[in-house]
Amino acid sequence: MSPTTPGTTARRTAALLATAVLALTACAPGGSAGGAEPTGPAAADAGLPTTDVVSDITKDPAAAELLPADVRARGRLSLATSVGTPPGATYLADGKTLAGQDIDLANAVGKVLGLKIDREVASFEAILPALGSGKYDVGTGNFGVTDERRRTIDFVTYINDGQGFAVRKDSPLKKVRSLRQLCGLTVATGAGTTFEATLEENRHRCEEAGKKPYDVKTYAEQGTLWISLQQGRTDVVMSTINGLRYAVKQQPGLRFLNEFKRLDVGFAFKKGTPLAPAVRAAVNRLKKDGTYGRILKKWDTGPSAIKTSRISPPEIR
């Protein structure tokens, strides 16, 4: 699948999914009966923070000097972003305006470096291969830094997030310390993610314990993923810690279980990119002048702050 810019049809589909999530939260197990208030991760744009934390940022000549000469000359970066749910990246009510932590941070980095960001929306699973082919300069999508990915991709870290779980409130599942606790269940997760890889790599542990393996259902659309949980077609969701915390606040009848594994998250680049030092300098400049903290405060992700940006650090074990 190649990344494409979503048109009117895609935006209408996203809106329909959001509407479906709203309807389901009113009738799902443990959900509210009235359904009068907007709920669901895709519907939360009514309450999304709108504070402008980017427009006053000025160019940092020292950071910009680290840019490759050709990028500095053209004054632009092509960026692919995956759109899912807050706090990472989502659409506002108009179905075309993007908002989220990833959006603010990328825009802020662009301003520090004196570059215009040419942003294109692409599917999560398509972005990393497209970087390798040179289609984009950089990608965002809550890409966790893993040793497997570091073989072919360079990263510049900007937050620390990771893997976690969420269930319906009527689920007997408690804190997940081992994936063997999922044996016999159906697990929903995003396609092409570290969550899918983790689940597939560890499925054999159930058979080794004499238990029925868990079933993994992958979804390209976050709206469909949450619908599957609300309807009982899946038992548990494995996704980003920050995304899960946000989603369960918006959807009655759901609860966040626990963090499972922490991962650094970074801007993604083609392996060997000369852009990494400049972007790292830009992130660290944002930390120093307080903009970084203001962005994380805006999106309520303060616990995910990093001390300093790094280039492709080892996977957190």
Side-chain angles (χ1 to χ4, degrees):
M1 179 185 297
S2 61
T4 56
T5 303
T8 302
T9 300
R11 291 196 292 271
R12 286 175 178 170
T13 300
L16 287 171
L17 283 171
T19 303
V21 172
L22 286 176
L24 286 166
T25 53
C27 61
S32 64
E37 302 212 349
T39 55
D45 59 292
L48 284 177
T50 56
T51 307
D52 180 2
V53 291
V54 174
S55 63
D56 290 339
I57 297 172
T58 57
K59 179 179 177 179
D60 184 322
E65 186 63 28
L66 297 174
L67 287 167
D70 62 325
V71 175
R72 196 161 57 244
R74 74 175 186 251
R76 317 177 77 88
L77 273 183
S78 61
L79 181 147
T81 190
S82 171
V83 179
T85 59
T90 189
Y91 286 110
L92 295 183
D94 60 11
K96 59 183 179 181
T97 303
L98 291 169
Q101 178 178 260
D102 285 356
I103 307 303
D104 281 345
L105 282 169
N107 288 344
V109 165
K111 283 186 168 289
V112 170
L113 297 177
L115 299 176
K116 178 176 175 55
I117 302 295
D118 295 325
R119 181 179 280 108
E120 183 174 316
V121 173
S123 64
F124 179 91
E125 62 271 26
I127 292 177
L128 297 186
L131 293 172
S133 70
K135 182 175 178 66
Y136 305 109
D137 296 316
V138 58
T140 61
N142 212 84
F143 290 112
V145 181
T146 66
D147 291 338
E148 177 66 26
R149 283 177 173 167
R150 290 195 307 137
R151 296 175 185 173
T152 56
I153 297 292
D154 280 341
F155 294 94
V156 172
T157 60
Y158 61 90
I159 60 166
N160 175 268
D161 195 347
Q163 304 175 340
F165 296 96
V167 293
R168 296 185 306 278
K169 284 187 176 179
D170 62 355
S171 171
L173 194 62
K174 305 300 180 184
K175 194 169 286 188
V176 177
R177 297 298 189 190
S178 166
L179 294 181
R180 287 181 179 177
Q181 292 173 251
L182 304 178
C183 297
L185 301 180
T186 301
V187 187
T189 196
T193 61
T194 58
F195 319 113
E196 180 184 8
T198 297
L199 290 166
E200 294 295 348
E201 289 168 6
N202 290 277
R203 193 197 297 263
H204 64 92
R205 298 184 184 278
C206 292
E207 294 179 344
E208 292 170 356
K211 298 180 179 180
K212 180 182 177 181
Y214 48 74
D215 187 22
V216 181
K217 298 291 186 184
T218 60
Y219 298 87
E221 295 284 351
Q222 287 293 303
T224 327
L225 180 151
W226 289 109
I227 289 171
S228 76
L229 181 65
Q230 293 278 22
Q231 287 186 333
R233 289 184 283 110
T234 54
D235 302 300
V236 56
V237 169
M238 186 178 189
S239 190
T240 65
I241 294 167
N242 288 336
L244 291 173
R245 288 188 186 280
Y246 184 92
V248 300
K249 288 180 181 178
Q250 307 304 316
Q251 298 185 85
L254 302 184
R255 58 186 168 91
F256 177 76
L257 281 185
N258 64 290
E259 297 181 8
F260 185 71
K261 179 183 179 179
R262 278 277 173 178
L263 283 174
D264 286 320
V265 172
F267 294 103
F269 303 85
K270 181 179 180 179
K271 191 70 176 177
T273 178
L275 283 166
V279 174
R280 176 182 59 182
V283 174
N284 286 330
R285 146 71 195 276
L286 294 169
K287 283 191 62 65
K288 185 177 181 179
D289 69 16
T291 303
Y292 178 84
R294 288 190 288 274
I295 292 174
L296 268 59
K297 182 178 180 180
K298 173 182 177 179
W299 296 104
D300 195 23
T301 55
S304 285
I306 57 174
K307 291 183 178 180
T308 187
S309 178
R310 297 188 291 168
I311 297 174
S312 297
E315 180 178 349
I316 297 174
R317 297 294 184 179

